[in-house]
Amino acid sequence: MKKFLKIALWTILIVFIVCVAAVTVFVKTFDLNKYKNQITQIVYDQTGRQLSIKGNAGLKISLIPTMELNDVTFSNATWAKEPNMVEAKTIDVAFSILPLLKKEIVIDKIHLIEPKVYLTINEKGVPNWEFVKNKKTGEVRESKNTISEKYVAKGVAIASVVAKSFKIENGIVLYQDLKTKSIHELKIKQISLTSEGVDSEISADIDVVYNNEEIKANVVAGSITSILQNASKYPLKADVKAFGVTAAV
């Protein structure tokens, strides 16, 4: 019996070593840069906007497979002053290993480093986050502030691969309304969102500066599913320190 257990343990250990070696070789030899054009084409087909990955795109060697994209930009509306709507120095996306073996995608985390987001509403009241009709497919990829049953169904499907952990570090969000001449700036020191799944509550730690006022908060909120389904009741608990006041909501 002891001999059998010893052989079994050695067999498991050898299989584990072979798997680790295989993953290591794959990570070292896999060139994600070859797929840049395919990725940008998919984004363009869906939004009518240009995604650019100017820096290196590759996989990090770690216990969790992590895709790293450097110097990423997402183009702005043609009428906007800023050429890009979104810019990011680095985007890390980590995947769970076991689901990948079943050809399923489960994202463990998304980490944005030094992102810049420019949100603008022009003089006609049109926001730059409203995408235009895709001329190639003839389909409208984004609706105007309405949530149809079809949209909700798609949203839930997308949410099934949403990261369990989402983190932003050292970011800036600039909002401009050219119609009302108002400008608002949000400097993000750090925002961390975690959730075990689409039906689980969301925990958030927020450390930002809004229009030169520091805001820190710890939030526990309802699930992603509740948001997508526009639930009539949505639980929210928050401890907030902002504008010189500390409050519990």
Side-chain angles (χ1 to χ4, degrees), residues 145-160:
N145 302 322
T146 59
I147 302 179
S148 64
E149 291 182 3
K150 185 176 181 182
Y151 177 83
V152 170
K154 285 184 177 180
V156 173
I158 292 171
S160 64

Side-chain angles (χ1 to χ4, degrees), residues 123-152:
E123 291 85 350
K124 297 180 180 179
V126 178
N128 68 335
W129 59 88
E130 183 177 294
F131 302 149
V132 298
K133 185 176 180 180
N134 192 313
K135 295 180 181 180
K136 182 178 179 180
T137 61
E139 297 179 3
V140 177
R141 295 298 182 179
E142 190 170 299
S143 59
K144 294 183 180 180
N145 302 322
T146 59
I147 302 179
S148 64
E149 291 182 3
K150 185 176 181 182
Y151 177 83
V152 170

Side-chain angles (χ1 to χ4, degrees), residues 42-169:
I42 291 171
V43 172
Y44 180 76
D45 289 343
Q46 295 296 318
T47 66
R49 302 277 184 89
Q50 188 67 45
L51 174 73
S52 298
I53 306 172
K54 300 176 183 178
N56 184 56
L59 293 175
K60 289 181 177 180
I61 299 177
S62 63
L63 294 176
I64 301 175
T66 302
M67 178 174 66
E68 182 183 62
L69 306 175
N70 293 295
D71 195 3
V72 180
T73 61
F74 180 67
S75 64
N76 214 337
T78 54
W79 48 262
K81 180 180 178 181
E82 298 290 341
N84 297 314
M85 179 179 169
V86 180
E87 301 175 358
K89 181 180 179 181
T90 303
I91 300 176
D92 286 343
V93 182
F95 302 91
S96 295
I97 297 176
L98 293 179
L100 287 175
L101 299 177
K102 300 176 184 178
K103 296 183 179 180
E104 297 176 355
I105 299 175
V106 176
I107 302 174
D108 277 334
K109 72 171 185 177
I110 297 177
H111 188 185
L112 273 65
I113 301 173
E114 295 184 22
K116 295 179 181 179
V117 181
Y118 300 96
L119 303 177
T120 310
I121 296 178
N122 65 18
E123 291 85 350
K124 297 180 180 179
V126 178
N128 68 335
W129 59 88
E130 183 177 294
F131 302 149
V132 298
K133 185 176 180 180
N134 192 313
K135 295 180 181 180
K136 182 178 179 180
T137 61
E139 297 179 3
V140 177
R141 295 298 182 179
E142 190 170 299
S143 59
K144 294 183 180 180
N145 302 322
T146 59
I147 302 179
S148 64
E149 291 182 3
K150 185 176 181 182
Y151 177 83
V152 170
K154 285 184 177 180
V156 173
I158 292 171
S160 64
V161 295
V162 166
K164 295 179 181 179
S165 174
F166 181 73
K167 187 176 182 180
I168 303 175
E169 283 186 312

Side-chain angles (χ1 to χ4, degrees), residues 192-208:
S192 298
L193 304 176
T194 57
S195 179
E196 289 302 314
V198 293
D199 297 319
S200 302
E201 64 182 19
I202 302 169
S203 297
D205 289 311
I206 300 170
D207 187 359
V208 300

